Amino acid sequence: MEQPVTVGRASRPLGAESEAPDAMEALADLVGESLTARVTLDEQGRVTGWNPGAERLLGYSAGQMTGRRAADLLAEPIPVRGGLPTLAGLPRWNGDVALRHHDGRKLTVRVLAHHRAPGTGDPAWLLVSALTRRQPRPALDESLVSWSFAQSPCCAMAIYDTRLRLRRANEEMEQAMALTEEEMLGLRVSEIVDNEAGELAERAMALVLRTGEPQYQENYLRTPGESREHAWSVFESALRDAEGTIRGICLAAHDMTEQYWARKRLQLIAEAGRRIGSTLDVTRTAQELTDVTVPALADFVSVDLLTALDDTPEPHAHALDADGPLLLRRVALRSVTPGAPEAVVAPGQVDSYPEGSAPYESLRAGRATLYEVTDPAITAWLAHDSARAERIRAFGIHSVMTVPLVARGTTLGVVLFLRHRNPDTFRHDDLVLAGELAARAAVSIDNARRYTRERATAVTLQRSLLPQRLPRQAAVEVASRYLPAGGHAGVGGDWFDVIPLSGARVALVVGDVVGHGLHASATMGRLRTAVRTLADIDLPCDELLTHLDDLVARLSGEEEGAEGAGSSGDVGATCLYAVYDPVSRRCCFAGAGHPAPAVVSPDGRVDLVGLPAAPPLGVGSLPYEATEVVLPEGSLLALYTNGLIENRDRDRDLDAGVHRLLEALALPQALGFARTGGTPMAPSLDALCDTVLADLLPQRPADDVALLVARTRAFDESQVATWAVPDDPSAVAQTRKDVVAQLERWGLSDAAFVTELVVSELVTNAIRHAQPPIQLRLIHENTLICEVSDGGNTAPHLRRARTYDEGGRGLLLVAQLTERWGTRQGAWGKTIWAEQTLSHQ
């Protein structure tokens, strides 16, 4: 049987429908329309088209065949191989068909049939058969094969014998090797290409000879005379004779350089998307840009930001000055050379770039620019910058790109790319890639700048709302630490406070507002103020948290009502409130969803205070409960927020975090056991705070941390004097005498006059207006405190007495003679107190 020649209708190129008719006629003359028998059929198998080639083949004219069933021409049924579907289900069919000629003889014809999709407007079937295959092959065919090998424009090809010696090479191979076929004739591939790629190709050809299986590699070569490396897709396959014996090896190499570099660019962009902007830190983000691009794109990269943005809260879209040099601060750089000796400006330094310099012009034009160092723009700049000129000569820098950093319409700075070790000069594709990478980095840098600015504002607000220094207390020695979050979360609403109370007592407070940012800081300030106000009226621990819970619920309601105005959501907080009395050594605790405090006894035992379970503030559930414990003198109290024990770098198990905290508090320096030369050292609470933070926290905590540590003190019995006062006005005189005698024992005779007046007024008021029992207590520490307690619940009020009033001046006199005074409610009555500053203390 004769070999088939497939002839099909070529797909029409874009715009072919608009070609001139004479062009279509010229194409028909060129291809010889009558050299192929072409027949079209409809879905019912009726002839719809019959060309002159079909008439030459079968002897029927178009008029005779149009509308007839094509099956009428069959001399034998079409052979259908077993298992094949019907012809109607095939997209294409080819095979030999026995047809009946017009004169009655049988013809065996090789047919290729195309089944077209319905709805295209074309006939359902196109049947073609070449007539030229019936003629002897001309000698031209062998010449075409030889010419196609030698002149193939898309593939570098070479033929090697079984000794792996080159016998033929086409023109593409000659250009790729920069050698002629005659110059390569008889050489091995490893001798033509003197590098690893040549050795790999030769080993692959040897494997083809042994196994007969084709081999494939990807090689990267620099063609002699060209500066850029080429990527080659190389195939080695066996050449066999008619008996199947391998007679040689064909090496075909496809130049895929453009695809290779395009893939490398996409990989670099993907890598940049993964690595750039991993943090909200400007310097770190800029450094990530340099890390990604060196050495993948450049040998040296620097990132410089406008100094005009240093102290600008919100930069203008055009941050460039109209006149004068451009001031840029270097924030990051990287080089293929250790130590980056190419750099003229170190990180953190500011440099001036005059008008006409590459960075200046790139920023002013707002577009990336590409230079060679021989360009006039570069030489003119370097003529006035000897330092840079010297570095360029010393390192052989030959190619430069400057790319502006622009985000959200704001110019931030410029990125400088240099090449000196890589011999390839930057190309336009490199400039486009650099622009894409710089655009990604600019958005991340702008995000980092905005975050840093907002975070600095929140930190400033929060620190202004926290205690600037802790007041000295007779009841406790205190130390504290506050660390803002170092991650993406932003500044939170953690706070702590130390509040002096009456009777030498002290309140210790820690709290944590839900959320982060300015809103959390502002809410924290409101709650801290509320706690101080409620503490000032000496509310018990549990009542104070109940009132604070009501306040948070109201704040949350206000936020819900303001959601349309940009509210950030509900308000929630946790809080721990403790009051310590150095006279009784009792400490009252009340918590609202907050971690329990830790207590370290003087003997080294570390425990958590068992607090009743309680919800956070703002939930509005049952009243809070208080727990009271007696603390030995020298006990340590540790109050903290959950950022200290919830370490996301280690685990999220709060129990594990609490365990680590208890271990840190039990260290010898926490207990005051450290020694120097055998002498016990005074324990340092500041050192303890630092130790706890170092043991429990990573370098950049993910949440705010507040830590308040207090060591309790206890007043000696000699510092407190207490009298039961009879409910009789005559007892006032005796009480004054007892007070004066006690002051003399304490060496406070100078305070006797004022104290007598205060005691006389407070005791007299209690006898006249209150209920028994009545008790007087004096507390002497840094100040002198006078307290009168009674069984009544009515608190006195300070009022201005009129000229002829007989009373009403007592409390006014007390207020003027003492530093401060007040009243507090107790479980069985009230206490009125007044505190004097001792002049000699």
Side-chain angles (χ1 to χ4, degrees):
M1 293 296 294
E2 297 174 294
Q3 297 298 317
V5 178
T6 300
V7 180
R9 186 182 65 174
S11 60
R12 291 181 296 181
L14 184 64
E17 59 276 1
S18 60
E19 294 182 6
D22 54 350
M24 300 298 291
E25 292 176 3
L27 178 61
D29 295 338
L30 175 65
V31 301
E33 181 70 21
S34 63
L35 297 179
T36 305
R38 295 168 57 92
V39 179
T40 59
L41 309 177
D42 60 16
E43 286 288 358
Q44 287 74 39
R46 297 185 180 278
V47 175
T48 59
W50 189 270
N51 79 334
E55 185 174 349
R56 285 180 54 191
L57 178 65
L58 296 177
Y60 293 98
S61 67
Q64 292 174 314
M65 290 303 302
T66 302
R68 289 183 57 183
R69 296 176 63 252
D72 296 340
L73 297 176
L74 295 176
E76 298 176 0
I78 297 177
V80 178
R81 291 181 290 273
L84 289 180
T86 62
L87 293 180
L90 294 175
R92 190 180 71 180
W93 181 89
N94 66 290
D96 294 334
V97 179
L99 299 177
R100 188 70 62 184
H101 192 272
H102 186 270
D103 59 12
R105 71 180 188 274
K106 186 175 76 170
L107 297 176
T108 299
V109 179
R110 179 64 57 87
V111 174
L112 175 62
H114 298 279
H115 194 182
R116 293 161 171 173
T120 61
D122 293 328
W125 287 91
L126 169 65
L127 285 64
V128 294
S129 181
L131 306 184
T132 54
R133 64 186 178 82
R134 296 180 172 278
Q135 302 171 2
R137 292 179 182 270
L140 178 64
D141 286 357
E142 294 301 324
S143 298
L144 285 173
V145 174
S146 178
W147 295 339
S148 66
F149 169 80
Q151 301 173 24
S152 174
C154 60
C155 183
M157 300 179 66
I159 296 176
Y160 292 81
D161 60 21
T162 55
R163 308 287 292 182
L164 304 185
R165 303 285 174 169
L166 186 136
R167 292 296 176 229
R168 291 291 308 274
N170 68 354
E171 294 178 2
E172 277 291 306
M173 183 63 76
E174 291 179 326
Q175 293 179 9
M177 298 295 102
L179 295 168
T180 65
E181 182 185 71
E182 184 67 24
E183 292 168 331
M184 293 185 289
L185 192 63
L187 296 177
R188 297 160 51 190
V189 64
S190 61
E191 297 168 337
I192 299 171
V193 179
D194 185 23
N195 58 25
E196 184 183 5
E199 296 174 358
L200 290 175
E202 190 169 79
R203 287 200 292 268
M205 288 196 297
L207 187 60
V208 171
L209 287 178
R210 291 197 304 271
T211 66
E213 297 294 329
Q215 302 297 316
Y216 171 79
Q217 305 97 42
E218 288 188 7
N219 295 330
Y220 308 96
L221 302 173
R222 193 181 302 277
T223 302
E226 293 190 6
S227 61
R228 194 176 191 189
E229 190 176 67
H230 284 249
W232 296 93
S233 176
V234 181
F235 295 85
E236 297 94 355
S237 58
L239 298 176
R240 304 174 187 270
D241 60 15
E243 286 76 26
T245 303
I246 298 177
R247 298 297 186 182
I249 303 291
C250 177
L251 185 149
H254 297 268
D255 189 347
M256 57 175 193
T257 303
E258 294 305 320
Q259 296 91 326
Y260 168 75
W261 287 111
R263 186 168 68 245
K264 294 287 285 185
R265 287 192 290 268
L266 289 175
Q267 290 174 348
L268 189 57
I269 291 174
E271 180 72 3
R274 184 181 67 85
R275 294 177 57 184
I276 297 176
S278 63
T279 66
L280 287 172
D281 181 88
V282 173
T283 302
R284 176 78 175 274
T285 302
Q287 190 63 51
E288 289 167 346
L289 172 61
T290 65
D291 292 343
V292 167
T293 52
V294 175
L297 180 60
D299 298 325
F300 175 88
V301 176
S302 64
V303 180
D304 301 331
L305 299 184
L306 293 167
T307 58
L309 305 180
D310 288 352
D311 301 318
T312 304
E314 187 63 35
H316 300 292
H318 303 287
L320 299 180
D321 295 332
D323 300 315
L326 182 66
L327 297 180
L328 294 172
R329 183 184 305 279
R330 180 144 299 172
V331 294
L333 61 82
R334 187 174 177 84
S335 171
V336 293
T337 308
E342 310 97 319
V344 178
V345 182
Q349 292 183 345
V350 176
D351 199 13
S352 175
Y353 295 86
E355 185 175 358
S357 63
Y360 187 101
E361 296 303 321
S362 181
L363 285 179
R364 184 168 67 175
R367 64 173 180 271
T369 53
L370 173 63
Y371 302 96
E372 294 185 20
V373 293
T374 55
D375 291 343
I378 298 295
T379 56
W381 172 30
L382 297 179
H384 300 88
D385 195 330
S386 58
R388 282 189 172 83
E390 189 276 330
R391 301 293 171 88
I392 286 178
R393 288 191 299 269
F395 292 94
I397 296 171
H398 58 80
S399 193
V400 179
M401 289 191 300
T402 56
V403 183
L405 286 170
V406 181
R408 301 178 179 93
T410 299
T411 301
L412 304 175
V414 65
V415 187
L416 184 68
F417 299 86
L418 304 178
R419 275 185 180 174
H420 54 81
R421 182 178 296 180
N422 187 337
D424 297 342
T425 59
F426 287 123
R427 299 187 176 191
H428 178 71
D429 289 345
D430 299 319
L431 190 67
V432 173
L433 176 60
E436 173 69 19
L437 297 176
R440 290 171 177 259
V443 173
S444 296
I445 289 174
D446 189 50
N447 289 340
R449 287 186 64 258
R450 293 170 182 266
Y451 166 77
T452 300
R453 184 175 63 248
E454 293 179 2
R455 183 176 182 276
T457 302
V459 169
T460 301
L461 173 62
Q462 189 172 40
R463 290 194 182 278
S464 68
L465 296 174
L466 290 173
Q468 301 305 304
R469 66 175 184 271
L470 298 179
R472 292 181 60 86
Q473 296 291 320
V476 292
E477 176 191 359
V478 292
S480 64
R481 292 293 185 272
Y482 166 74
L483 294 179
H488 294 256
V491 177
D494 292 22
W495 92 91
F496 63 90
D497 209 346
V498 177
I499 308 171
L501 301 177
S502 63
R505 297 171 305 136
V506 63
L508 306 174
V509 192
V510 289
D512 186 0
V513 174
V514 174
H516 295 85
L518 289 174
H519 180 266
S521 296
T523 303
M524 176 270 288
R526 300 171 77 175
L527 295 185
R528 178 171 177 255
T529 301
V531 170
R532 278 189 160 266
T533 301
L534 295 172
D536 191 55
I537 60 176
D538 266 317
L539 285 180
C541 297
D542 49 354
E543 291 187 28
L544 184 142
L545 288 186
T546 301
H547 283 284
L548 199 61
D549 177 69
D550 294 338
L551 172 63
V552 173
R554 288 196 299 271
L555 291 177
S556 182
E558 293 174 2
E559 291 293 330
E560 292 178 0
E563 283 184 358
S567 168
S568 58
D570 294 340
V571 176
T574 65
C575 184
L576 177 67
Y577 185 76
V579 175
Y580 174 67
D581 187 346
V583 176
S584 64
R585 295 184 290 106
R586 293 182 177 275
C587 189
C588 176
F589 298 93
H594 202 85
V599 176
V600 185
S601 62
D603 61 5
R605 189 177 67 257
V606 185
D607 295 301
L608 293 177
V609 177
L611 297 181
L617 298 172
V619 176
S621 59
L622 297 176
Y624 294 95
E625 298 180 35
T627 298
E628 192 173 82
V629 296
V630 177
L631 300 176
E633 183 176 10
S635 298
L636 276 177
L637 285 174
L639 288 70
Y640 51 91
T641 56
N642 62 354
L644 182 65
I645 57 175
E646 190 179 48
N647 190 338
R648 293 176 174 85
D649 289 350
R650 296 180 181 176
D651 48 53
R652 291 176 177 267
D653 186 358
L654 293 182
D655 291 338
V658 171
H659 180 71
R660 290 194 299 271
L661 171 62
L662 299 183
E663 287 182 338
L665 292 174
L667 293 175
Q669 57 266 38
L671 305 174
F673 296 155
R675 296 174 179 271
T676 301
T679 303
M681 297 174 55
S684 169
L685 295 186
D686 284 318
L688 172 61
C689 289
D690 293 337
T691 299
V692 170
L693 296 183
D695 287 352
L696 271 70
L697 295 180
Q699 186 175 2
R700 298 170 65 87
D703 195 4
D704 281 17
V705 175
L707 173 64
L708 181 62
V709 177
R711 178 176 285 114
T712 64
R713 295 169 178 157
F715 287 0
D716 188 82
E717 293 182 356
S718 62
Q719 294 178 271
V720 181
T722 305
W723 297 273
V725 179
D727 186 19
D728 186 347
S730 63
V732 175
Q734 183 59 43
T735 301
R736 286 200 301 266
K737 292 178 183 180
D738 294 339
V739 168
V740 171
Q742 184 62 50
L743 293 180
E744 289 177 353
R745 286 192 292 269
W746 283 341
L748 301 180
S749 300
D750 292 342
F753 176 73
V754 173
T755 306
E756 274 192 281
L757 292 177
V758 171
V759 168
S760 178
E761 179 60 33
L762 296 184
V763 170
T764 301
N765 283 344
I767 294 173
R768 288 182 176 178
H769 306 293
Q771 300 175 7
I774 301 172
Q775 178 181 279
L776 169 64
R777 185 171 71 165
L778 293 182
I779 302 173
H780 171 220
E781 221 284 328
N782 295 324
T783 61
L784 181 63
I785 302 171
C786 176
E787 297 182 341
V788 175
S789 304
D790 59 61
N793 293 317
T794 303
H797 297 280
L798 182 67
R799 64 184 180 87
R800 183 176 298 277
R802 290 173 293 184
T803 304
Y804 299 104
D805 285 350
E806 294 184 0
R809 297 178 177 84
L811 285 181
L812 179 61
L813 183 63
V814 171
Q816 290 176 342
L817 293 177
T818 59
E819 182 71 20
R820 59 193 188 114
W821 75 279
T823 181
R824 65 174 182 268
Q825 297 292 330
W828 50 270
K830 68 175 181 297
T831 298
I832 303 175
W833 56 270
E835 185 174 348
Q836 301 177 56
T837 301
L838 301 177
S839 59
H840 69 280
Q841 292 289 333

